[in-house]
Amino acid sequence: MATMKDVAAKSGFSIATVSAVINNAPIVSDKAREKILQAIDELGYKPNAIARSLKNARTSSIGIIVRDITSPIYAALVSGMEEAGWANNYEVFLCNTEDDVDRERKYIDNLVSKRVDGVIITTSQIVRKDFYDKLQENNIPYVFLNRKPNELREHEYFVGANNAVASEKVIDYLHRLGYKKIAFICGPQHFSTFRERYVGFLHGMNKYGLSVYDQWVWTSDYKRKAGYEYANQMIENNNLPEIIICSSALLAFGVFLACKEKGVRIPEDVALISLDHNEYDELIDLSSVDLQHRAMGKMAMQILIDQLSRNSFNQRQQQILLEPELVIRKSCGHHLRSGH
Amino acid sequence: MATMKDVAAKSGFSIATVSAVINNAPIVSDKAREKILQAIDELGYKPNAIARSLKNARTSSIGIIVRDITSPIYAALVSGMEEAGWANNYEVFLCNTEDDVDRERKYIDNLVSKRVDGVIITTSQIVRKDFYDKLQENNIPYVFLNRKPNELREHEYFVGANNAVASEKVIDYLHRLGYKKIAFICGPQHFSTFRERYVGFLHGMNKYGLSVYDQWVWTSDYKRKAGYEYANQMIENNNLPEIIICSSALLAFGVFLACKEKGVRIPEDVALISLDHNEYDELIDLSSVDLQHRAMGKMAMQILIDQLSRNSFNQRQQQILLEPELVIRKSCGHHLRSGH
DNA sequence: GTGAAAGCGCTAACAC
DNA sequence: GTGTTAGCGCTTTCAC
């Protein structure tokens, strides 16, 4: 594998000059540049980014910590991050944690060892994980994405959705449609996303004087299976509300499948809406709120990179919230209820 | 940021001894080890993987080249690769190409510069891209995953699905159900996956003496929009076959949406089956063939890592094909046609 | 404009 | 067992 030394030898110049050419330093004579470029080409020389990094203390690599690339929302987040990374010449290390804390800790350790320039964390919980401190200790900037820890320290950034508003927009919509008996499958409260959605839900319900029924609120799980089981439970107990709000797409799919299996029609027998839009909603006419995950991922990466290049004279806001947007399809039966 | 030198100074030993401790060399005395470990702990020392890599010429990083993480099949492939990488202490660089050749070339260049230990390529086409040669020139092993180039050179490996068999299994199944008028939306023939599926289709049709109708075969695109348009075309021309086979999940979703929009019932008016199973099929009762993408991704990573560690006394096969499995749901209406 | 040389943090051969 | 040292491939300061 050719090195700068080889290029220097072949071209007849010194490695310092070769280095200058490679880094586009303007101080090199045209004929030197030309000869060196030619030698590079003939040798098939590729700069060794490892050696460069050792010297520079910059790697042009960024770690991204996610739960599970297979979920549509994480796929969208990752896609956004990768896109913005690519546009700025950063490569991303993909770290899937499966929400396993030990695995996440190990990944952070590895990223520190590999001296990534920054990290984006999408797996934070309300209670801060101690090992994020290692990043700061090692001067590696990081931004939280989607899920937010309880408090943001001075050097910490957050990009996410305005989840409370997402819930409220849904309640506004449902109220307009005349719904009163509303169920909410929300997801675990140690994640900011679900907690905020719950708060927004309560707030919205309260605003219109709508009753919140305990037997119609769940805050334990966010997976497809949970949605399926809760829905089944309601169906079997003959205890269906008018509408079910699902905090996640997976929950909504679970509910949908249970209803399909049991012959419960949507929206005629029970309406359904999801707080987490994705590209498969359309298959089942599911209304939902678009939380803009791809844009969110892009934004987070952009903020991280700005920080790395310090080209942000005007200090960025510490927290950026994207505005959710309602995507209306047929699962809430507005076409049936437009009289309200 | 603490270095080995700091640890050496603090513990009173030399950096060579510190290095020995870090690399678990057994030749260190217990008291030395203990003191050094303590110094490491107090300083919060983390080995610098960059410096180590420069010396070792190994980075424990692997590049994975995919088209679009957002597609369920690539998500599954990536998930499998990441999993196997994690299990063997490799980190993965995620490279999304959007099937843009220039972007792919640039990514390969970057990966070579970063001296990744290996690369997995899921974007190859029938006609080999010249820039894969750069990997070999730089002694970076790589394996092709899912899509296969025309010929495999001596050092090249491939892991994929048995696509021809996937098609044939579908034809077997459809024949059993008594279908005769069969449409096939296949996807572009410069990808091995679609080409093999087409070959398998022809073979299967031929086996049963079934006619292949030109106006019911497409080989141009594999996206959702294409499926939507082709289906619309058939519907509007009043030219529906008995069943539509879709080569990709996206095509099947497109067809499904067109049918839903036009009030064409599945399977009563037209049956539907996909050659590319994923977790959303269930939402629309879509029968499909499971190509086992996650297992495929794992396998590819495992083969690459075996190669890196040379712990494969018994030479691996150059090509590994996973066996596709039929997943039967209602979209082919076997419940209607079981009399056949 | 160009070159010599120090040094980034580590590993490993070799000396003691 | 432990320490000294050369060198991995690059960047950068400082002479010339």
Side-chain angles (χ1 to χ4, degrees):
Chain A
M1 210 149 169
T3 74
M4 270 174 81
K5 219 158 99 185
D6 302 326
V7 176
K10 177 145 196 149
S11 66
F13 288 85
S14 74
I15 60 169
T17 310
V18 174
S19 175
V21 168
I22 284 164
N23 293 297
N24 282 316
I27 45 148
V28 188
S29 70
D30 283 352
K31 66 169 183 294
R33 163 167 290 111
E34 196 179 324
K35 282 192 130 179
I36 288 171
L37 252 18
Q38 190 187 340
I40 286 176
D41 193 50
E42 282 170 16
L43 290 168
Y45 167 77
K46 294 259 185 295
N48 182 329
I50 297 296
R52 175 181 289 173
S53 292
L54 182 59
K55 187 72 193 167
N56 282 347
R58 300 193 64 325
T59 55
S60 303
S61 303
I62 284 176
I64 65 184
I65 313 247
V66 298
R67 199 197 82 224
D68 170 20
I69 189 76
T70 263
S71 134
I73 91 143
Y74 285 99
L77 290 172
V78 168
S79 159
M81 290 187 268
E82 195 271 350
E83 182 66 29
W86 160 256
N88 292 278
N89 244 296
Y90 282 88
E91 255 95 58
V92 298
F93 278 121
L94 176 69
C95 310
N96 257 1
T97 66
E98 317 277 352
D99 266 338
D100 172 343
V101 177
D102 290 331
R103 185 157 166 174
E104 186 174 357
R105 172 184 288 113
K106 179 78 188 313
Y107 256 134
I108 298 259
D109 271 351
N110 290 352
L111 292 175
V112 171
S113 267
K114 291 207 166 156
R115 300 298 194 261
V116 292
D117 292 340
V119 175
I120 298 181
I121 299 167
T122 69
T123 50
S124 75
Q125 304 193 1
I126 299 281
V127 176
R128 164 187 300 272
K129 289 167 190 159
D130 57 321
F131 50 79
Y132 296 150
D133 295 342
K134 285 189 216 158
L135 293 172
Q136 201 205 346
E137 286 163 17
N138 289 284
N139 277 316
I140 298 175
Y142 53 98
V143 353
F144 294 113
L145 173 58
N146 195 40
R147 294 184 190 167
K148 181 183 155 186
N150 228 348
E151 27 111 42
L152 238 35
R153 301 193 181 158
E154 204 191 337
H155 61 284
E156 293 177 343
Y157 289 80
F158 171 72
V159 180
N162 198 330
N163 289 293
V165 163
S167 291
E168 289 186 54
K169 281 194 172 175
V170 163
I171 303 292
D172 288 346
Y173 171 59
L174 299 183
H175 177 252
R176 236 181 300 137
L177 258 32
Y179 285 108
K180 294 209 157 42
K181 298 163 72 178
I182 298 176
F184 187 37
I185 310 185
C186 180
Q189 297 294 296
H190 53 283
F191 299 133
S192 66
T193 43
F194 295 126
R195 183 179 284 198
E196 290 162 16
R197 288 171 205 173
Y198 187 52
V199 168
F201 165 76
L202 293 179
H203 188 258
M205 295 293 275
N206 187 50
K207 184 165 74 182
Y208 296 113
L210 262 13
S211 306
V212 175
Y213 302 90
D214 277 358
Q215 91 267 28
W216 281 337
V217 173
W218 290 264
T219 56
S220 41
D221 197 354
Y222 62 86
K223 300 273 182 71
R224 187 189 280 205
K225 189 152 171 272
Y228 180 83
E229 281 165 4
Y230 299 149
N232 254 340
Q233 214 172 295
M234 290 189 270
I235 295 168
E236 279 165 11
N237 294 343
N238 217 337
N239 182 34
L240 278 173
E242 291 170 342
I243 175 146
I244 304 172
I245 308 174
C246 288
S247 220
S248 77
L250 300 179
L251 284 169
F253 292 155
V255 169
F256 174 85
L257 288 171
C259 288
K260 183 152 68 75
E261 200 176 294
K262 289 286 201 305
V264 172
R265 294 165 308 165
I266 297 172
E268 291 83 352
D269 301 326
V270 65
L272 182 61
I273 191 166
S274 153
L275 285 178
D276 200 348
H277 176 79
N278 67 64
E279 57 202 295
Y280 306 101
D281 294 348
E282 193 180 358
L283 295 174
I284 61 172
D285 286 323
L286 182 63
S287 293
S288 56
V289 182
D290 188 348
L291 265 20
Q292 322 235 43
H293 287 118
R294 191 159 196 282
M296 221 188 268
K298 262 185 151 159
M299 195 78 190
M301 182 60 84
Q302 198 56 61
I303 285 182
L304 183 58
I305 291 172
D306 278 4
Q307 230 178 313
L308 294 175
S309 34
R310 305 230 157 69
N311 63 9
S312 46
F313 285 96
N314 39 356
Q315 184 75 347
R316 284 274 197 185
Q317 293 171 51
Q318 248 197 305
Q319 170 167 310
I320 292 183
L321 261 33
L322 302 203
E323 204 57 22
E325 274 175 29
L326 210 54
V327 178
I328 295 181
R329 288 202 251 262
K330 295 185 190 153
S331 68
C332 294
H334 66 293
H335 57 300
L336 301 175
R337 293 180 153 254
S338 53
H340 285 271
Chain B
M1 212 146 166
T3 74
M4 270 175 82
K5 218 158 102 183
D6 301 325
V7 176
K10 177 143 195 152
S11 65
F13 289 85
S14 74
I15 61 167
T17 310
V18 174
S19 174
V21 168
I22 283 164
N23 293 298
N24 283 317
I27 45 147
V28 187
S29 72
D30 283 354
K31 67 168 181 298
R33 164 168 287 110
E34 196 178 324
K35 284 193 126 174
I36 288 171
L37 252 17
Q38 191 185 339
I40 285 176
D41 193 50
E42 282 169 16
L43 290 168
Y45 167 78
K46 295 260 186 295
N48 183 328
I50 296 297
R52 177 180 288 173
S53 292
L54 182 59
K55 186 70 193 165
N56 281 347
R58 311 237 340 12
T59 55
S60 302
S61 303
I62 284 175
I64 65 184
I65 314 247
V66 298
R67 199 196 83 224
D68 170 21
I69 188 78
T70 260
S71 133
I73 91 142
Y74 284 98
L77 290 172
V78 169
S79 160
M81 289 187 268
E82 195 272 351
E83 182 67 30
W86 160 256
N88 292 278
N89 245 298
Y90 282 88
E91 257 96 56
V92 298
F93 278 120
L94 176 69
C95 311
N96 258 0
T97 66
E98 317 278 352
D99 266 337
D100 172 342
V101 176
D102 290 331
R103 184 157 167 175
E104 186 175 357
R105 173 183 288 115
K106 180 80 188 311
Y107 256 135
I108 298 259
D109 271 351
N110 290 350
L111 292 175
V112 171
S113 267
K114 291 209 166 154
R115 299 299 194 259
V116 293
D117 292 340
V119 175
I120 298 181
I121 298 166
T122 69
T123 50
S124 73
Q125 304 192 1
I126 298 281
V127 176
R128 163 186 301 272
K129 291 169 189 156
D130 56 320
F131 50 80
Y132 296 151
D133 295 341
K134 287 189 215 157
L135 293 171
Q136 200 204 348
E137 285 163 16
N138 289 284
N139 276 315
I140 298 176
Y142 53 97
V143 353
F144 294 112
L145 172 58
N146 195 40
R147 294 184 190 167
K148 182 183 156 188
N150 227 348
E151 27 111 40
L152 238 35
R153 301 191 182 161
E154 203 190 339
H155 62 283
E156 294 177 342
Y157 289 81
F158 171 72
V159 180
N162 197 329
N163 289 293
V165 164
S167 290
E168 288 187 54
K169 281 193 171 175
V170 163
I171 303 292
D172 288 346
Y173 171 59
L174 298 185
H175 178 252
R176 238 180 299 135
L177 258 34
Y179 285 108
K180 296 212 158 36
K181 295 162 72 177
I182 299 177
F184 187 36
I185 310 186
C186 181
Q189 297 296 296
H190 52 283
F191 298 135
S192 65
T193 43
F194 295 126
R195 183 179 284 198
E196 290 161 15
R197 288 170 205 172
Y198 186 53
V199 169
F201 165 77
L202 292 180
H203 189 258
M205 295 292 275
N206 187 51
K207 184 165 73 183
Y208 297 113
L210 263 14
S211 308
V212 175
Y213 302 91
D214 277 358
Q215 90 267 31
W216 282 336
V217 173
W218 289 265
T219 56
S220 43
D221 198 354
Y222 61 87
K223 299 273 182 68
R224 188 190 280 205
K225 188 152 170 273
Y228 180 83
E229 281 166 5
Y230 298 150
N232 255 340
Q233 215 171 294
M234 289 189 271
I235 296 169
E236 280 166 10
N237 294 342
N238 219 337
N239 182 32
L240 277 173
E242 290 170 345
I243 176 149
I244 303 172
I245 307 174
C246 288
S247 219
S248 77
L250 300 180
L251 284 170
F253 293 156
V255 169
F256 175 86
L257 288 171
C259 289
K260 183 152 69 72
E261 202 177 292
K262 290 285 200 310
V264 172
R265 294 164 308 164
I266 297 171
E268 291 83 352
D269 301 327
V270 65
L272 183 61
I273 191 165
S274 153
L275 284 178
D276 199 349
H277 176 79
N278 67 63
E279 58 202 299
Y280 306 100
D281 293 347
E282 193 181 357
L283 294 173
I284 59 171
D285 287 325
L286 182 63
S287 293
S288 56
V289 181
D290 187 348
L291 264 19
Q292 322 234 45
H293 288 118
R294 192 161 196 281
M296 222 188 270
K298 263 186 150 157
M299 196 77 187
M301 182 61 86
Q302 197 57 61
I303 285 181
L304 184 57
I305 291 173
D306 278 4
Q307 230 178 314
L308 294 175
S309 34
R310 307 232 155 67
N311 63 9
S312 47
F313 286 96
N314 39 355
Q315 183 75 346
R316 285 272 198 186
Q317 290 171 53
Q318 249 197 303
Q319 168 166 313
I320 293 183
L321 261 32
L322 303 202
E323 203 56 22
E325 274 175 29
L326 211 54
V327 179
I328 295 181
R329 287 200 253 262
K330 295 184 191 151
S331 68
C332 294
H334 65 296
H335 57 301
L336 301 175
R337 292 180 153 256
S338 53
H340 284 271

